[in-house]
Amino acid sequence: MVWPAGKKLKNGRYTIEEILRQGHLSITYLAKSEKGHRVVIKTPNDAAIPRTDFDKLQERFVGEAFKLKDCQTSQYIVQVEEPFQEDGFWCIPMEYIAGTTLDKRSPLKMSEGEALRYVRQVGEALGVIHVQGLIHRDVSPDNVMRRSDDTGMNDAVLIDFGLVRDFNLSTSVTSTQKITPFTARELCLSKKDRGAYTDLYGLGAVLYSLVTGDNPPMAMERKPGEKLTFPAGVSVQVEHAIESAMALKGSDRPASVAAWLETLPAAKPEEKLNVPSLLPEERRKRKLEIVGLVLTALGVLFGAFQGIPAVLTYFSVKDAPPANVAPTQSPKSK
């Protein structure tokens, strides 16, 4: 069951505009609130309906939404509103984030400074989730949005919490999601072996992808003791950090995301995000404004003695065309 554009939800509070993405067991819509604000609505999709455990899935679906409301203290976590039911399906309204996911980045390979900034932001988000006794279980580039708004910040925001579970839940990942290069080995098994270190594997794999421009090997295809390979240009410190985060055994990884973040190198000042620069005309105006402010300050100081009339005269005629100005170059002799 796919809702068409124009479908009203929650007694007209939201209006469906279009489908944003189709997940393994969910569908995400772009909608508009009655106040005109864009929101995202997530609900189970057609693939989830025939399942014998559909009711249990819905129960977990809405339960996780309420848990996430306790994780709204980080600006790097998508903001969630109160869930509601529509046509027998639970719906989770979330903030709309203008931007793209990191899997759609261009170019695929980032500078270490830029990659580290995003990874630190996602790491902060995971830390908040872990304090609540939850794990995300699906940390990957396609679940990290990069804001693209007029602030120019381009911060990372962790999204898609459909697989959030308690630390002690033993359900295997194979029953709820596809296994990806960012999936920790323990999630591919049916053992009750998971914790903050499970999300750390995904975070380390994301950093690997950002600094190499490629996905890491699948955890189940890696052999114990086998080292990851890195292209030239990746620093030794980043290589070691990724290796520790992506250790096959959870017990061999750092105990917390915060502890692992401490092992990362500080981003270099010159390695900033790609914020659009000013256009030439805007740059010229900005320089004129700065020059004007400096001249004004000097004029005030000088005017305290005798020069205010001269300064005022200067500003009244500074944009007028100069008269009888000698040429900058001598005319060519004939």
Side-chain angles (χ1 to χ4, degrees), residues 67-331:
K67 289 177 182 178
L68 282 176
K69 289 186 70 65
D70 295 328
C71 300
Q72 304 295 284
T73 57
S74 173
Q75 62 181 315
Y76 308 124
I77 296 178
V78 63
Q79 301 299 293
V80 179
E81 298 180 18
E82 186 174 348
F84 62 91
Q85 277 192 306
E86 188 73 34
D87 296 340
F89 296 92
W90 278 104
C91 303
I92 302 177
M94 298 174 283
E95 69 167 316
Y96 170 74
I97 301 172
T100 57
T101 49
L102 284 182
D103 62 315
K104 296 181 173 60
R105 65 191 182 278
S106 180
L108 290 176
K109 185 178 179 180
M110 290 183 178
S111 69
E112 280 193 6
E114 188 174 11
L116 288 170
R117 176 180 175 180
Y118 290 136
V119 165
R120 288 183 188 280
Q121 291 171 343
V122 176
E124 178 185 311
L126 290 174
V128 172
I129 296 169
H130 296 160
V131 167
Q132 299 297 326
L134 305 172
I135 52 176
H136 188 279
R137 302 205 316 165
D138 197 14
V139 181
S140 58
D142 61 328
N143 283 333
V144 178
M145 289 288 296
R146 181 164 53 176
R147 288 187 187 274
S148 176
D149 54 29
D150 56 6
T151 65
M153 292 302 294
N154 291 331
D155 285 338
V157 182
L158 186 62
I159 62 172
D160 203 342
F161 289 78
L163 293 173
V164 170
R165 296 287 186 272
D166 293 328
F167 280 6
N168 59 0
L169 191 66
S170 60
T171 304
S172 170
V173 71
T174 55
S175 66
T176 53
Q177 76 170 101
K178 296 178 182 178
I179 298 173
T180 74
F182 305 89
T183 306
R185 182 182 177 86
E186 62 266 22
L187 286 176
C188 304
L189 306 172
S190 298
K191 299 186 300 181
K192 188 184 293 186
D193 173 23
R194 59 207 65 205
Y197 50 83
T198 302
D199 284 338
L200 179 55
Y201 184 97
L203 187 60
V206 168
L207 181 56
Y208 178 98
S209 178
L210 296 183
V211 298
T212 66
D214 199 4
N215 286 338
M218 303 285 284
M220 295 300 289
E221 296 176 0
R222 295 172 57 199
K223 298 178 181 179
E226 183 180 10
K227 294 289 187 180
L228 296 168
T229 58
F230 297 88
V234 180
S235 70
V236 173
Q237 191 174 356
V238 168
E239 287 185 11
H240 288 168
I242 294 174
E243 289 276 7
S244 67
M246 294 184 64
L248 290 179
K249 291 183 179 180
S251 58
D252 292 336
R253 301 172 208 149
S256 69
V257 171
W260 179 74
L261 291 176
E262 291 297 322
T263 69
L264 297 176
K268 297 178 182 178
E270 66 270 17
E271 289 183 306
K272 298 179 181 179
L273 297 179
N274 296 321
V275 180
S277 58
L278 294 173
L279 295 175
E281 179 63 21
E282 293 174 325
R283 193 180 299 115
R284 186 187 68 82
K285 290 180 179 179
R286 184 68 55 83
K287 287 182 178 179
L288 286 176
E289 290 173 358
I290 294 173
V291 170
L293 289 172
V294 172
L295 289 173
T296 300
L298 292 174
V300 169
L301 291 174
F302 184 65
F305 300 98
Q306 59 181 6
I308 282 183
V311 173
L312 294 177
T313 302
Y314 166 79
F315 278 107
S316 66
V317 300
K318 69 183 181 76
D319 294 324
N324 299 324
V325 176
T328 56
Q329 290 182 332
S330 300

